[in-house]
Amino acid sequence: MRALFQHGLFIVALALPVSATAQEPAVTVGENGTVEARMTLDASESSIRDVLDDIAGELAALSPDVLSVAVVNDGKCQEVSRRTRGLLRPFRLKSLRCPTASGWHESLIESRDFSAYSTDWSVIETSDGTEVIYTIETDLYIFPRPLVTRTVVQSAKGQLMELARKVVRK
């Protein structure tokens, strides 16, 4: 059994979904535990943005452990209340998600479970396809950072692989 962190949650699971595409995301971990996952997809920028823009639907579906997402528009941004599977009880967090020049930035407003939570999705057209960069900085009050970082790496890979399954041209 191993622990997994999936888009703002910590769970115990037996396995991570297996890739249906040939390419795996490239993942790097910064000294502070920030995880960056990258993948170039044979998909249009607009099809990728459509999935990532639908935070309570398509984006939430990239992680099977998101239990619920509620969104309230706040000007150009969205206030996001998320409930995810936790180790002993669901974890909750509230964040602010705003558009950026290349995608979206989400930052923690409040949580009794997360001491840090920040994500960035960037979508960039290149000559080889559309590059998707997913950057996550997360820390939980009750779990050691190295454990959280390891599980965030697996989660980021899983979410990009699921995104690829949804949008890659056949």
Side-chain angles (χ1 to χ4, degrees), residues 7 43 76 80 92 101 111 122:
H7 199 266
K76 292 180 183 178
V80 181
R92 298 173 193 272
S111 174
S122 297

Side-chain angles (χ1 to χ4, degrees), residues 10 12 65 83 140 145 156 166:
F10 188 78
V12 175
D65 300 304
R83 193 169 64 96
L140 293 159
R145 182 173 284 233
K166 288 181 178 283

Side-chain angles (χ1 to χ4, degrees), residues 65-100:
D65 300 304
V66 172
L67 300 174
S68 66
V69 176
V71 178
V72 175
N73 290 329
D74 184 4
K76 292 180 183 178
C77 298
Q78 298 171 308
E79 189 174 287
V80 181
S81 296
R82 189 176 286 116
R83 193 169 64 96
T84 62
R85 285 190 226 293
L87 187 58
L88 301 173
R89 60 168 172 73
F91 287 165
R92 298 173 193 272
L93 70 122
K94 186 180 288 185
S95 60
L96 187 66
R97 186 174 197 251
C98 298
T100 65

Side-chain angles (χ1 to χ4, degrees), residues 17 19 22-23 29 36 53 64 75 86 101 106 118 122 125 135 142 159 167:
S19 164
Q23 177 188 355
V29 179
E36 181 183 273
D53 192 43
E106 190 171 342
S118 175
S122 297
E125 286 223 40
T135 307
I142 60 173
Q159 288 181 63
V167 300

